[in-house]
Amino acid sequence: MDYSGSCAEKLEIPLFDLSTIMKATNNFSIDRKIGEGGFGPVYKGILEGQEIAVKRLSRISTQGENEFMNEVVYIAKLQHRNLVKILGCCIEGEEKMLIYEYLSNGSLDSLIFDETQTKVLDWPKRFHIINGVARGLMYLHQDSQLRIIHRDLKANNILLDKDMNPKISDFGLAKICEEDDVGAMTNRVVGTHGYLSPEYALYGKYSVKSDVFSFGILVLEIAWNLYKEGRSTELLDECLGDSYSTYEVVRSIGVGLLCVQQCPEDRPNMSSVVLMLNNKGVLPLAKQPGFYIEGNAPSSGAFSSSQYAESTVTETPITILTAR
């Protein structure tokens, strides 16, 4: 496949020379490395006076060339303040790189799961992040020209700019959705255990409601670090101090629980989530959450309860019931 032709002609995004990117990152020096993921290492650079982030496809990457092109195709056509912005790509020989805007506050997981860094996030910032991610997902599911299921929404795929505005990143596993509530099927489940909806993790069935489930897990991670049954305000991270609105916290937890209900049809769509987060109407009562999994196959019958989809994960399993 002629990747350079695909990028330059079909997508009309800038195609940078390898020498330009090497100069921008000081020849990929170790002191410029700012992260590492399934795709490969990420470097900070300076290109034409602008700070950039360079994702370099590793030769031993768990994400291959299809995921590389998947991300280029999708993210180049999506424009929203809560999605990371791609500036171009570099394809030369065996080198394949994506160039993004640099976001100075890094990934959300580096803040909420670090005892020192978590103190940076008071409740107003956390609620702002929850709302921003919700609006970004609503755009993907309903308002963008492609209508995308992300399939790998998690804390380290949420990047934060200098003003703590969240931006959804990493579209390597994304899929176009044709209908809101009709689930597609796969026998290769990819993503991160703990964020995967039960119908996707067990039976390979995914839809926009799979992303809604992942969003619910993300909200609950942001809203609490400890689990104590029946006392919502005690679920909060101690570092929040007096910065939080009890109403907003309890409402966020309620919305998060609605998003992680066992049955996809019970979960709200993202436009409803945005409305529920920002209005004062009574929330519906949440049904059984999806981490309490039953072994019943979906009514579609494509997979029996004994035919589990092959699961490929990018990180170790997590659970919202245990502090990280």
Side-chain angles (χ1 to χ4, degrees):
M1 179 182 290
D2 182 359
Y3 288 105
S4 59
S6 298
C7 289
E9 296 172 18
K10 294 183 180 180
L11 302 178
E12 299 181 352
I13 63 172
L15 186 63
F16 296 99
D17 294 333
L18 176 59
S19 59
T20 300
I21 303 304
M22 291 180 68
K23 181 179 179 182
T25 60
N26 193 21
N27 198 23
F28 304 109
S29 64
I30 190 66
D31 62 322
R32 294 289 186 93
K33 186 176 177 179
I34 56 175
E36 180 95 28
F39 186 97
V42 182
Y43 298 88
K44 181 181 178 181
I46 303 293
L47 183 64
E48 298 174 354
Q50 178 181 359
E51 291 184 319
I52 60 170
V54 179
K55 288 176 66 173
R56 187 184 189 189
L57 180 63
S58 169
R59 295 178 184 177
I60 59 171
S61 171
T62 58
Q63 297 182 26
E65 295 185 357
N66 289 338
E67 284 83 356
F68 174 87
M69 284 307 301
N70 202 52
E71 181 148 4
V72 173
V73 168
Y74 289 153
I75 205 167
K77 292 184 178 179
L78 301 171
Q79 298 292 328
H80 190 273
R81 69 189 301 253
N82 295 119
L83 303 183
V84 69
K85 182 180 179 181
I86 191 169
L87 303 176
C89 61
C90 174
I91 302 170
E92 194 168 314
E94 294 186 352
E95 290 285 1
K96 296 177 179 64
M97 287 170 277
L98 299 172
I99 295 88
Y100 295 94
E101 61 179 330
Y102 174 73
L103 300 172
S104 58
N105 277 309
S107 61
L108 179 60
D109 69 318
S110 67
L111 297 182
I112 61 175
F113 299 134
D114 184 278
E115 291 184 3
T116 301
Q117 293 297 320
T118 192
K119 297 175 182 178
V120 173
L121 293 178
D122 58 16
W123 175 252
K125 289 187 180 73
R126 293 180 187 231
F127 195 59
H128 175 71
I129 291 167
I130 289 170
N131 270 286
V133 175
R135 293 181 188 279
L137 272 184
M138 182 174 71
Y139 168 78
L140 291 177
H141 291 175
Q142 298 172 215
D143 299 332
S144 68
Q145 59 176 315
L146 294 179
R147 303 183 70 210
I148 296 294
I149 304 171
H150 188 278
R151 295 208 306 166
D152 198 22
L153 188 73
K154 56 185 176 182
N156 67 340
N157 282 341
I158 305 300
L159 304 180
L160 303 168
D161 70 11
K162 62 182 178 61
D163 298 315
M164 290 296 183
N165 294 311
K167 295 178 185 283
I168 301 171
S169 70
D170 200 338
F171 287 76
L173 304 180
K175 292 286 186 182
I176 294 177
C177 60
E178 300 297 334
E179 299 291 340
D180 280 345
D181 295 317
V182 176
M185 304 296 295
T186 181
N187 62 1
R188 179 175 175 261
V189 174
V190 289
T192 303
H193 280 315
Y195 292 94
L196 299 180
S197 63
E199 72 277 6
Y200 181 42
L202 289 175
Y203 313 113
K205 185 174 182 179
Y206 65 89
S207 67
V208 293
K209 295 300 182 70
S210 307
D211 278 354
V212 172
F213 183 94
S214 301
F215 172 79
I217 297 294
L218 185 64
V219 170
L220 297 177
E221 287 182 325
I222 293 171
W224 72 44
N225 274 354
L226 300 175
Y227 180 83
K228 292 183 180 179
E229 184 176 356
R231 298 188 293 273
S232 293
T233 56
E234 292 183 24
L235 303 177
L236 294 176
D237 194 321
E238 293 178 357
C239 76
L240 294 179
D242 297 324
S243 74
Y244 64 87
S245 156
T246 301
Y247 174 80
E248 287 180 350
V249 172
V250 173
R251 194 165 189 85
S252 295
I253 292 171
V255 171
L257 290 171
L258 289 171
C259 291
V260 298
Q261 292 177 103
Q262 173 84 3
C263 297
E265 58 268 25
D266 290 332
R267 299 171 206 151
N269 57 37
M270 291 310 302
S271 58
S272 297
V273 167
V274 171
L275 287 174
M276 287 189 292
L277 285 171
N278 294 282
N279 290 282
K280 295 188 176 181
V282 177
L283 293 179
L285 291 176
K287 297 180 182 178
Q288 178 173 287
F291 54 74
Y292 197 80
I293 295 172
E294 298 177 0
N296 297 323
S299 57
S300 66
F303 286 80
S304 71
S305 59
S306 63
Q307 292 175 307
Y308 287 67
E310 177 188 47
S311 180
T312 303
V313 296
T314 55
E315 293 195 356
T316 54
I318 65 165
T319 170
I320 62 170
L321 293 178
T322 305
R324 285 183 52 168

